[in-house]
């Protein structure tokens, strides 16, 4: 399944390449309950770069507020700000955010919500990436929870363990002692 998704993403990435060799970032957001995942698809010199995923769990507020905060925080950290940022919806205080990003980059930065064409397909690809990344994160948590539940059952514990510590002490025939501790939370 993952291989098929990777191949489809690779094929689609080849379609999205910008022949005008422009730089742009494409952002998408997926939410499920209190969990959320943001995905950035950077395009540099017309070529799509590797997607970056940002878990943003436990954040309250609307998607527009979350997107505004995410963009402001991400580009505040010295990241390259392209002249065009594609988004799936207008973030909160979009004009002020665009002005702030323009000031940081030293040139005009536009926030756009494309409705058709290659840019729209890029947004759709980012959305699928965000949904897939969020689902994989949820699945991973569920698998871990099931494993810890099974461990509690096998060890006949009254409840699921929250913290497990393992220790190992070794030496070479009584010399060169070493010790280690591994913690699972």
């Amino acid at each position: 399944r993952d291989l098929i998704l990777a191949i489809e993403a690779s094929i689609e990435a080849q379609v999205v390449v910008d022949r005008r060799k422009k730089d742009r970032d494409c952002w998408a957001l997926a939410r499920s309950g209190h969990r959320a995942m943001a995905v950035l698809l950077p395009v540099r010199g017309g070529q799509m770069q590797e997607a970056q995923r940002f878990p943003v769990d436990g954040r309250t507020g609307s998607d527009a507020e979350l997107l505004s905060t995410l963009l402001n925080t991400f580009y505040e950290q010295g990241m390259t700000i392209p002249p065009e940022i594609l988004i799936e919806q207008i973030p909160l205080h979009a004009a002020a955010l665009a002005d702030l990003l323009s000031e940081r980059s030293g040139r005009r930065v536009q926030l756009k919500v494309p409705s058709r064409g290659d840019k729209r397909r890029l947004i759709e690809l980012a959305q699928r990436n965000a949904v897939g990344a969020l689902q994989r994160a949820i699945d991973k948590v569920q698998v871990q929870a099931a494993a810890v539940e099974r461990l509690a059952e096998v060890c006949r514990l009254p409840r699921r363990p929250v913290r497990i510590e393992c220790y190992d002490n070794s030496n070479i025939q009584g010399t060169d002692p070493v010790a280690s501790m591994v913690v699972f939370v």
Side-chain angles (χ1 to χ4, degrees), residues 78-89:
M79 300 300 182
T80 301
I81 304 173
E84 185 176 71
I85 298 174
L86 305 178
I87 45 182
E88 55 187 334
Q89 64 176 296

Side-chain angles (χ1 to χ4, degrees), residues 29-33 35-37 56 59-63 66 131 134:
L29 185 66
R31 277 189 162 180
S32 177
R35 302 196 59 122
M37 183 71 68
V56 284
R59 302 298 200 290
T60 58
S62 68
D63 287 356
L66 181 56
V131 168
L134 178 61

Side-chain angles (χ1 to χ4, degrees), residues 19 32 66 106-107 134 141 148 162 169:
R19 289 169 192 82
S32 177
L66 181 56
R107 66 178 163 352
L134 178 61
V141 167
V148 171
V162 177
N169 295 308

Side-chain angles (χ1 to χ4, degrees), residues 120-172:
R120 183 65 203 167
R121 283 191 289 280
L122 189 59
I123 284 286
E124 290 167 357
L125 177 61
Q127 287 171 329
R128 284 195 302 276
N129 269 276
V131 168
L134 178 61
Q135 189 57 53
R136 285 188 299 278
I138 290 170
D139 291 348
K140 182 179 177 182
V141 167
Q142 290 173 343
V143 166
Q144 287 176 343
V148 171
E149 192 67 42
R150 178 72 179 129
L151 178 65
E153 189 179 299
V154 167
C155 295
R156 295 185 183 129
L157 299 174
R159 62 183 185 282
R160 286 181 17 180
V162 177
R163 180 182 175 100
I164 302 170
E165 296 180 3
C166 299
Y167 299 89
D168 181 34
N169 295 308
S170 297
N171 61 66
I172 300 173

Side-chain angles (χ1 to χ4, degrees), residues 13-24 43-48 84 118-119 122:
Q14 293 170 6
V15 174
V16 177
V17 171
D18 184 1
R19 289 169 192 82
R20 292 172 291 171
K21 301 188 184 279
K22 291 196 171 192
D23 291 348
R24 64 176 51 100
V43 176
R44 298 294 180 263
Q47 298 292 320
M48 186 182 311
E84 185 176 71
D118 286 342
K119 292 178 183 179
L122 189 59

